[in-house]
Amino acid sequence: MMKSYRGKLPLPIIVGIICVLAFFVFLYNQRMILLSSTYLVRISTCARQSTDGTRAGRDGMEDEDKLEYDADICDISDGKWVFNRSIKPLYSDRTCPYLDKQVSCVKNGRPDSNYRYWHWQPDECSLRRFNPERALKKLKGKRLLFVGDSLQRGQWQSFVCLVESIIPDGQKSMKRGRAHSVFKAKEYNATIEFYWAPFLVESNSDLKIVGDPRKRILKVDSVAKHAKHWLDVDFLVFNTYVWWMSGLKINSLWGSFANGEEGYEALDAPIAYRLALKTWANWVDSTINPNKTRVFFTTMSPTHMRPVEWNNKDGIKCFNETKPVKKRGHWGSGSDKRIMHVVADVLGKMKVPVTILNVTQLSEYRVDAHTKVYTETGGKLLTDEQKADPLHHADCIHWCLPGVPDTWNQIFLSFL
């Protein structure tokens, strides 16, 4: 009669199982060692750079193509602003004819110019200087469309001004419209466009702007009116933030404005923002072919209204600021982390891949770079009397150009 082991495995089988497990543990450890060493090599190589901002390859030769900014190994938000007057901006508000008066600070009388010579330097790699020729070659035969509010319009104007100087006069044109504007580089058969949609979704304040936020109503379930202008585009760059930050509840409507504006519900900004962003995300997922169109999303552009937040108790908003904030990780009340979480959550669940241009942290430091009182309001430049009252008239939302949005476009070009 055979002896029963009652659930116990024979010793040879146990030894065999242990050997197999040990073999897999060995393979796993070897793989982790390989991955770790590869990662460290990439990081240390990326961090090594020459004094002029270009990086040296492993053989000691400067080679920008080998070690440019890579989002997989380099967090663009970790870094510092470095002052370098020897690196001049690629344009000015006097040389680029396509800038709005709103962002033309020098022409509007801004006396200081140092804000134009700060360059973002990530900790773990180098951010390559914007190359107009490289950008236009990437766009050859393609359409690039920026969609959003006036801050996104600033990024669009920055991109146009960064490339237009190398295009002969007869080979470029600009057509400005109330909602849709198109810059054309004829030689490259490329367009760099902007579409005005401050909330992305439809609202009663899209073209005829409603000044009182309490009277604005958003149709949070529809982007159809706007989205028909976003089709057949090769690169789509979206943003929406500052118009949501009125401090009031957002009047949110489901259904058609044609049926009247009654029946809306007043929602907290993060809730209304989530509903609207989901509507946008559903349109992208159901409409965009990622093999033909790349989608980008620019994160919050910070506002700087409370100087006590960067330890300037005697300051007047951003008015007298002439240098970036040095404190690492500075984060003011002008950037709503609730909105940041909504963006990360909604975009993280989308089927179509969306590249996030994370500009918030690096822009948080730039309290010095806003248009302040060297801007316009209601289509007119500020009067001397208004300039003398920065508490009520300093614009600490928009950025002077050239300026911070040029860095956003450096990051954007690195992804192209």
Side-chain angles (χ1 to χ4, degrees), residues 45 119 202 280 332 410:
T45 308
H119 304 274
E202 184 180 347
W280 167 84
Q410 275 184 276

Side-chain angles (χ1 to χ4, degrees), residues 42-146:
R42 293 179 73 187
I43 288 295
S44 61
T45 308
C46 187
R48 189 166 61 248
Q49 54 186 320
S50 65
T51 56
D52 65 353
T54 58
R55 287 150 298 179
R58 296 177 190 177
D59 57 1
M61 295 176 63
E62 293 175 1
D63 189 347
E64 291 183 333
D65 292 326
K66 288 182 181 178
L67 297 171
E68 67 178 287
Y69 164 67
D70 183 341
D72 292 332
I73 63 171
C74 180
D75 186 348
I76 197 66
S77 64
D78 289 339
K80 61 183 178 181
W81 289 96
V82 178
F83 185 79
N84 189 344
R85 185 176 283 276
S86 67
I87 303 178
K88 295 183 179 180
L90 292 173
Y91 67 95
S92 74
D93 56 6
R94 297 187 185 278
T95 62
C96 182
Y98 305 115
L99 288 181
D100 291 340
K101 287 189 294 183
Q102 182 186 44
V103 296
S104 300
C105 298
V106 172
K107 287 178 70 174
N108 296 337
R110 180 165 178 168
D112 61 310
S113 61
N114 283 352
Y115 67 92
R116 296 181 293 177
Y117 298 98
W118 291 94
H119 304 274
W120 181 248
Q121 181 177 296
D123 290 337
E124 297 173 340
C125 60
S126 287
L127 184 61
R128 183 153 62 169
R129 183 164 162 80
F130 191 97
N131 185 316
E133 186 176 3
R134 178 171 175 251
L136 288 169
K137 286 181 177 179
K138 293 286 185 181
L139 296 180
K140 190 171 184 178
K142 300 184 184 300
R143 293 178 62 195
L144 163 61
L145 177 62
F146 293 89

Side-chain angles (χ1 to χ4, degrees), residues 151 155 301 359 362-363 399 404-412:
L151 290 159
Q155 187 178 357
S301 176
V359 305
L362 63 91
S363 304
W399 306 97
V404 171
D406 300 331
T407 301
W408 302 352
N409 282 322
Q410 275 184 276
I411 298 168
F412 173 51

Side-chain angles (χ1 to χ4, degrees), residues 32 42 99 260 310 368:
M32 291 307 294
R42 293 179 73 187
L99 288 181
W310 55 89
D368 60 311

Side-chain angles (χ1 to χ4, degrees), residues 39-294:
Y39 178 78
L40 289 172
V41 166
R42 293 179 73 187
I43 288 295
S44 61
T45 308
C46 187
R48 189 166 61 248
Q49 54 186 320
S50 65
T51 56
D52 65 353
T54 58
R55 287 150 298 179
R58 296 177 190 177
D59 57 1
M61 295 176 63
E62 293 175 1
D63 189 347
E64 291 183 333
D65 292 326
K66 288 182 181 178
L67 297 171
E68 67 178 287
Y69 164 67
D70 183 341
D72 292 332
I73 63 171
C74 180
D75 186 348
I76 197 66
S77 64
D78 289 339
K80 61 183 178 181
W81 289 96
V82 178
F83 185 79
N84 189 344
R85 185 176 283 276
S86 67
I87 303 178
K88 295 183 179 180
L90 292 173
Y91 67 95
S92 74
D93 56 6
R94 297 187 185 278
T95 62
C96 182
Y98 305 115
L99 288 181
D100 291 340
K101 287 189 294 183
Q102 182 186 44
V103 296
S104 300
C105 298
V106 172
K107 287 178 70 174
N108 296 337
R110 180 165 178 168
D112 61 310
S113 61
N114 283 352
Y115 67 92
R116 296 181 293 177
Y117 298 98
W118 291 94
H119 304 274
W120 181 248
Q121 181 177 296
D123 290 337
E124 297 173 340
C125 60
S126 287
L127 184 61
R128 183 153 62 169
R129 183 164 162 80
F130 191 97
N131 185 316
E133 186 176 3
R134 178 171 175 251
L136 288 169
K137 286 181 177 179
K138 293 286 185 181
L139 296 180
K140 190 171 184 178
K142 300 184 184 300
R143 293 178 62 195
L144 163 61
L145 177 62
F146 293 89
V147 180
D149 55 26
S150 55
L151 290 159
Q152 194 76 333
R153 184 170 59 213
Q155 187 178 357
W156 166 67
Q157 290 183 47
S158 162
F159 200 101
V160 169
C161 290
L162 285 167
V163 301
E164 68 86 22
S165 63
I166 71 167
I167 305 173
D169 288 340
Q171 293 296 318
K172 56 189 174 184
S173 66
M174 173 70 83
K175 183 179 180 181
R176 300 290 290 259
R178 291 185 68 195
H180 191 191
S181 298
V182 180
F183 173 82
K184 184 174 291 186
K186 298 177 183 178
E187 179 183 353
Y188 294 87
N189 189 28
T191 60
I192 304 167
E193 310 173 34
F194 171 71
Y195 183 84
W196 169 261
F199 296 105
L200 296 186
V201 294
E202 184 180 347
S203 80
N204 68 343
S205 189
D206 286 336
L207 287 181
K208 188 177 180 181
I209 296 175
V210 176
D212 186 349
R214 294 169 296 184
K215 296 180 180 179
R216 295 174 185 165
I217 304 172
L218 277 60
K219 189 179 175 185
V220 293
D221 64 343
S222 179
V223 294
K225 184 181 75 173
H226 300 314
K228 63 185 179 182
H229 299 280
W230 308 343
L231 300 172
D232 302 319
V233 175
D234 300 281
F235 303 106
L236 281 165
V237 188
F238 293 94
N239 100 307
T240 182
Y241 170 63
V242 74
W243 279 53
W244 299 83
M245 297 296 105
S246 65
L248 304 169
K249 289 183 178 291
I250 306 294
N251 297 325
S252 305
L253 176 72
W254 291 261
S256 174
F257 281 124
N259 298 326
E261 297 179 354
E262 298 302 323
Y264 62 79
E265 185 175 355
L267 301 175
D268 290 335
I271 296 174
Y273 190 94
R274 180 178 292 272
L275 292 171
L277 203 62
K278 280 186 174 180
T279 297
W280 167 84
N282 289 337
W283 178 87
V284 171
D285 279 341
S286 63
T287 310
I288 295 299
N289 179 352
N291 294 320
K292 294 182 178 180
T293 301
R294 291 185 64 187

